[in-house]
Amino acid sequence: MGQVEVVDYCFYTDPNATVEARIKDLLSRMTLKEKVGQMAMIERRVGTYDAIKGLSIGAMMSGGGSGPFGKVKTKSSDWADMVDRFQKSALDSRLGIPLIYGIDAIHGNNNIYGATIFPHNVGLGATRDADLARKIGEATALEVRASGIHYTFAPCVAVSRDPRWGRCYESYSEDVGIVRKMTSIVTGLQGQPPPTHPKGYPFVAGRNNVIACAKHFVGDGGTEGGINEGNTILSYEELERIHMPPYLDCISMGVSTIMASHSSWNGRKLHADHFLLTEILKDKLGFKGIVISDWRGLDRLSEPRGSNYRYCISSAINAGIDMVMVPYRYELFVEDLTSLVESGEVQMARIDDAIERILRVKFAASVFEFPFANRSLLDTVGCKLHRDLAREAVRKSLVLLKNGKDLKNPFLPLDRNAKRILVAGTHADDLGYQCGGWTADFKGSSGNITIGTTILDAIKEAVGDETEVVYEQYPSVETLARRDFSYAIVAVGEEPYAEKLGDNSELVIPFDGADLLSSVASCIPTLAILVSGRPLVLEPWLLEKIDALIAAWLPGSEGGGIADVIFGDHDFEGRLPMTWFKRVEQLPLHAEMDACDSLFSLGFGLTCNKEKSPNS
């Protein structure tokens, strides 16, 4: 057996040296195999000591629902134990380069049981509150770091132009100005760079912050027909005007990574688009961090998916991808990319550029100095301070669309001391539905999937001691025939979904939600609460029947924020982040269109006192 080189003192381990000097020193010591290994991000299911150590794997991740013990509910301490074990394997490699561990913490550390679940981005877009977004970033960073994880694949800064898109709720708005405003979450996640920080370079303030990722570059919210991973048909000038500005803001804030989109631009796959990834993002915009692929993004460069892998690798790496979410075929990836470099099909300069960027982020994030979990942060997970912040976000995100059949006689706020009230609907007492997709699992699910407060729980807590709350998900004929209810609160909406599973060309309220609302409202004065990731079809006859209507989006774990507003402790503040269509045949429909015949316009939102002016 050949002897393994023992590395004693190395300049790159000196935290007092400049980042660029440390990069240069470490790069000079690395073999091709080690460089290629650093470019791979692998799923934790295939992570082994020998693979991580022997191939010098650069990064690991957990896909949705992929926790320490599979899909079993696991606490942050379990995650910290798992990540630390993987990290020890990386530190045992020849050069001791720590790995970075990533997760989709896109509305809180949503994979981990007991974490605070914030409203999805569409709800935050309704708040227009940049400072709130920053605070949510700070809270999320603490809960992520408590689990030993260094990196979140967030924020999504897509400008969604079509609610049929299954990722609509991951977008803050159809309006690029609103999306730009909410990119402040990056400074919450990573920290605020000093004025002297060089533009385009990654920045992570310290151990209480995480590596952020602006995604998905670029145009994913503008695909034809709202098809996930579809084709965005636009001139470069329009792409630059509508979809690119949020990335400029993220870059100016020191965002460490940018993820390429699964989608295409005028038929060209983004993962293989040298013009956009290298000439624009890296050269023109001056981005110095990591350009990372999406999940199995390289596999999608050939049909059938995953075939001709060597071609897929060369196309993506030569286009400018630096780190690859493999996530499973890491051995083949390392073998093929090594061969491509040796054959000259991928130049060593391209590899070195990728490694410089990867090391730059690792040094900026101080993972060499602090590779392991900071367990002093475990008490922050799901803490009252964070749940109060989430509750604030919920109440600020609610958009009041109707308040009374007669404007002179508003229906809200509700009387908390009413003698008897009815609560009904599929979404009134279901925490999973309330949180939506990307919660505990990739697509989410129903039931008590985490810790939180349902709408029903919140109502029971908010009403007076003498008020009787009757709950029936689907009220019986006998219940509806009673004449002693002061009012009804009916929560309906979408079941959880993610990505392509959420693509929807009909957009009707699921579970016969319209019929349920109609049956209750025919008998009892009714407040309708719509829990959804996007605008849904609201027929005129239904709008006439109900007394009040709230768009609650996907509020997350803190249903108390809804009770805060409907009973008048706080007024409504939310304004529509998207144009609300009348009929799906109108789509795509947005405020920039000349003939925008909408049901509710972008920026619409009532208060209990007066109507807010659109777009104010």
Side-chain angles (χ1 to χ4, degrees):
M1 293 178 63
Q3 292 209 337
V4 177
E5 177 188 347
V6 177
V7 180
D8 295 317
Y9 170 76
C10 296
F11 183 71
Y12 68 84
T13 62
D14 183 356
N16 296 314
T18 67
V19 167
E20 296 306 306
R22 295 174 77 183
I23 292 170
K24 184 177 179 181
D25 179 60
L26 182 49
L27 188 65
S28 71
R29 301 171 184 271
M30 296 175 70
T31 65
L32 174 58
K33 180 182 176 183
E34 288 167 333
K35 291 176 182 178
V36 171
Q38 284 294 302
M39 295 173 69
M41 173 176 272
I42 68 174
E43 224 283 335
R44 67 106 202 147
R45 292 179 179 93
V46 296
T48 66
Y49 177 86
D50 289 341
I52 298 166
K53 176 186 174 184
L55 296 176
S56 190
I57 294 296
M60 294 187 67
M61 66 174 296
S62 283
S66 175
F69 312 120
K71 294 189 178 183
V72 177
K73 292 177 181 177
T74 45
K75 295 181 289 188
S76 293
S77 56
D78 298 317
W79 285 77
D81 291 342
M82 177 189 72
V83 176
D84 280 357
R85 283 196 302 270
F86 289 135
Q87 189 68 282
K88 287 174 183 174
S89 301
L91 296 177
D92 282 345
S93 64
R94 185 180 74 91
L95 295 171
I97 304 173
L99 56 78
I100 52 176
Y101 200 101
I103 199 167
D104 286 283
I106 64 172
H107 62 139
N109 199 8
N110 41 263
N111 276 274
I112 282 98
Y113 184 77
T116 310
I117 308 299
F118 295 93
H120 269 297
N121 287 357
V122 66
L124 297 184
T127 72
R128 313 291 205 275
D129 192 332
D131 190 53
L132 177 67
R134 178 187 57 78
K135 290 177 181 176
I136 288 172
E138 291 174 351
T140 300
L142 290 172
E143 297 201 19
V144 170
R145 288 309 297 259
S147 61
I149 295 169
H150 320 90
Y151 181 17
T152 174
F153 308 125
C156 176
V157 293
V159 178
S160 176
R161 288 298 174 94
D162 197 321
R164 292 174 291 187
W165 185 35
R167 304 189 80 146
C168 180
Y169 64 78
E170 294 186 51
S171 168
Y172 294 107
S173 178
E174 71 177 39
D175 180 84
V176 66
I178 295 171
V179 176
R180 295 188 74 173
K181 191 173 186 179
M182 305 308 284
T183 57
S184 58
I185 194 171
V186 171
T187 61
L189 292 166
Q190 294 193 160
Q192 178 70 52
T196 56
H197 187 73
K199 181 184 175 183
Y201 282 79
F203 175 83
V204 182
R207 295 185 71 190
N208 291 350
N209 298 95
V210 293
I211 298 163
C213 179
K215 65 182 188 183
H216 308 83
F217 193 82
V218 60
D220 52 330
T223 59
E224 190 173 24
I227 296 172
N228 191 57
E229 302 184 20
N231 188 26
T232 299
I233 303 173
L234 281 178
S235 67
Y236 174 74
E237 290 71 25
E238 287 293 278
L239 187 75
E240 186 178 48
R241 182 182 70 83
I242 299 169
H243 297 283
M244 213 171 284
Y247 291 95
L248 276 69
D249 297 312
C250 292
I251 291 169
S252 72
M253 297 171 192
V255 73
S256 295
T257 74
I258 292 178
M259 186 183 293
S261 176
H262 280 317
S263 61
S264 300
W265 173 52
N266 294 333
R268 291 159 45 181
K269 291 278 190 182
L270 264 297
H271 274 70
D273 196 317
H274 183 273
F275 170 70
L276 289 175
L277 296 184
T278 295
E279 295 179 44
I280 298 300
L281 179 56
K282 290 184 174 181
D283 297 341
K284 181 179 178 180
L285 303 185
F287 178 61
K288 301 296 184 184
I290 298 170
V291 176
I292 187 169
S293 84
D294 205 339
W295 175 274
R296 300 181 70 177
L298 273 61
D299 295 44
R300 289 160 164 81
L301 296 179
S302 64
E303 290 295 338
R305 286 187 180 182
S307 62
N308 199 357
Y309 200 42
R310 185 182 173 94
Y311 160 79
C312 295
I313 294 170
S314 64
S315 298
I317 302 303
N318 283 330
I321 298 289
D322 302 310
M323 180 172 276
V324 178
M325 283 190 193
V326 180
Y328 302 114
R329 298 196 294 172
Y330 63 92
E331 291 172 310
L332 181 59
F333 170 78
V334 170
E335 178 185 329
D336 281 356
L337 182 51
T338 301
S339 173
L340 285 163
V341 176
E342 291 171 342
S343 69
E345 294 169 76
V346 174
Q347 297 298 309
M348 182 61 80
R350 173 74 272 275
I351 300 298
D352 285 349
D353 171 59
I355 300 307
E356 287 175 7
R357 292 167 179 274
I358 292 166
L359 296 179
R360 185 174 292 128
V361 169
K362 289 187 176 186
F363 285 128
S366 300
V367 289
F368 279 81
E369 289 71 53
F370 305 105
F372 296 116
N374 183 359
R375 293 167 195 266
S376 68
L377 298 177
L378 285 170
D379 288 343
T380 68
V381 179
C383 67
K384 185 179 185 301
L385 185 66
H386 291 176
R387 292 191 182 276
D388 287 348
L389 177 64
R391 185 169 178 164
E392 176 189 351
V394 172
R395 62 175 178 255
K396 287 183 174 180
S397 70
L398 302 177
V399 180
L400 181 59
L401 298 175
K402 180 179 180 179
N403 189 19
K405 293 178 178 178
D406 182 350
L407 292 176
K408 296 178 182 178
N409 186 25
F411 190 68
L412 299 176
L414 300 173
D415 178 8
R416 70 172 74 241
N417 294 309
K419 183 177 180 182
R420 183 174 292 107
I421 65 176
L422 174 66
V423 179
T426 49
H427 288 59
D429 192 32
D430 195 306
L431 198 58
Y433 282 178
Q434 199 170 292
C435 292
W438 290 111
T439 312
D441 199 355
F442 165 61
K443 71 178 187 67
S445 59
S446 65
N448 294 321
I449 61 174
T450 190
I451 298 170
T453 303
T454 68
I455 296 171
L456 176 63
D457 292 334
I459 292 168
K460 288 180 174 178
E461 188 175 315
V463 296
D465 293 339
E466 303 300 318
T467 300
E468 180 187 355
V469 178
V470 177
Y471 168 66
E472 292 180 20
Q473 188 177 107
Y474 289 95
S476 66
V477 173
E478 292 77 17
T479 298
L480 293 177
R482 294 174 63 168
R483 291 291 179 262
D484 56 356
F485 288 114
S486 298
Y487 54 81
I489 302 170
V490 184
V492 296
E494 296 185 291
E495 62 183 329
Y497 54 84
E499 299 188 4
K500 192 167 187 63
L501 298 173
D503 283 359
N504 188 330
S505 61
E506 297 179 349
L507 297 178
V508 297
I509 303 173
F511 309 111
D512 297 320
D515 290 340
L516 174 59
L517 284 169
S518 176
S519 65
V520 176
S522 295
C523 305
I524 307 167
T526 297
L527 163 64
I529 299 175
L530 185 61
V531 178
S532 68
R534 52 196 163 190
L536 299 177
V537 173
L538 295 171
E539 298 286 359
W541 62 264
L542 180 62
L543 283 172
E544 289 174 12
K545 238 178 188 184
I546 58 179
D547 294 85
L549 173 64
I550 296 169
W553 314 111
L554 298 170
S557 61
E558 305 311 304
I562 293 175
D564 288 341
V565 178
I566 64 175
F567 291 110
D569 296 325
H570 296 266
D571 205 349
F572 288 86
E573 298 183 40
R575 289 171 286 161
L576 286 182
M578 300 189 70
T579 302
W580 205 296
F581 60 92
K582 290 180 177 178
R583 304 172 307 280
V584 290
E585 292 78 17
Q586 295 175 289
L587 298 175
L589 185 73
H590 52 83
E592 286 191 3
M593 299 175 72
D594 292 333
C596 185
D597 181 25
S598 63
L599 184 62
F600 301 107
S601 61
L602 172 72
F604 180 85
L606 303 172
T607 68
C608 287
N609 299 313
K610 60 181 181 178
E611 183 174 338
K612 296 178 183 178
S613 58
N615 303 315
S616 62

